[in-house]
Amino acid sequence: MNRYKPSLSRNDIESQIHRMVAFIDHEARERAEEIDSKTEGEFCYEKGRLLHKARQDMQRIYEKKEITVYKQDQTTEATLQNRARLRELACREAHISRIEAEVQDRLLKKNEDPELYRNILLEMLIQGLFRMLERVVLVRVREQDLTIIEELLEPAKDRYKEKVGRRVKIVVDSSRYLAPSCLGGVELATPNRKVRVINTFLSRLQLIVKQLVPAIRRHLFEQGPLSRHESVYSFFEKA
């Protein structure tokens, strides 16, 4: 016995096709939205990762530049401080040199007093003899002091004998005179000239300056400005 199978009409077929198309379209849109959502999430994640990495890179670059600038500033500051310190030291040395030159001028003025210079020259000669302790001594002076030193030989010999207990022979060396720049004084030597004692105003001034420079610097640059320039000469007068 044959079963009856009703046939579908054209409208039913088209209706089923539309429903299938609508279903497929719906599924496609949902899938597309899912893909878009996933893509958007991945995009945002990758964007955030790249931005974070870029910020870190920029931060490292900025920190390196900041360190470089800081070191450059430190170097520049140290260089400027060093230059300023050197200029200050140069000014201080120039000031001390001016004081030394003024002391030389004062010594020259004192040498203009014949009697005072004569007494000083005698003492300088006797000091040299005490340092030499030789039986025969050569003496050199400035050419302008030749007459004075010849007059002082006997008083110097007498003082030497009185203090040491023996005579000394003093020979004035007129073959070579001391330079005028020595400011006066004497230079003593043994006959073979291997031992010398320089007792001139200039040599003593240089020795005093060398010994007193620390005290002079403290006096000049660590005290107040009032009257310090004038009172610094007391160092030389005491010395």
Side-chain angles (χ1 to χ4, degrees), residues 172-188:
V172 179
D173 185 1
S174 57
S175 61
R176 291 184 304 166
Y177 296 103
L178 296 180
S181 58
C182 73
L183 307 179
V186 296
E187 178 182 310
L188 291 81

Side-chain angles (χ1 to χ4, degrees), residues 103-104 107-108 110-111 116-121 124 142 145 178 181-186 198-208:
V103 171
Q104 291 185 18
L107 286 175
L108 288 174
K110 286 188 175 182
N111 292 350
L116 176 61
Y117 180 67
R118 179 187 177 90
N119 294 333
I120 293 176
L121 195 62
M124 297 179 81
R142 297 181 301 176
D145 296 334
L178 296 180
S181 58
C182 73
L183 307 179
V186 296
I198 301 175
N199 201 16
T200 62
F201 281 97
L202 181 60
S203 64
R204 296 190 62 155
L205 174 60
Q206 291 173 341
L207 178 62
I208 291 170

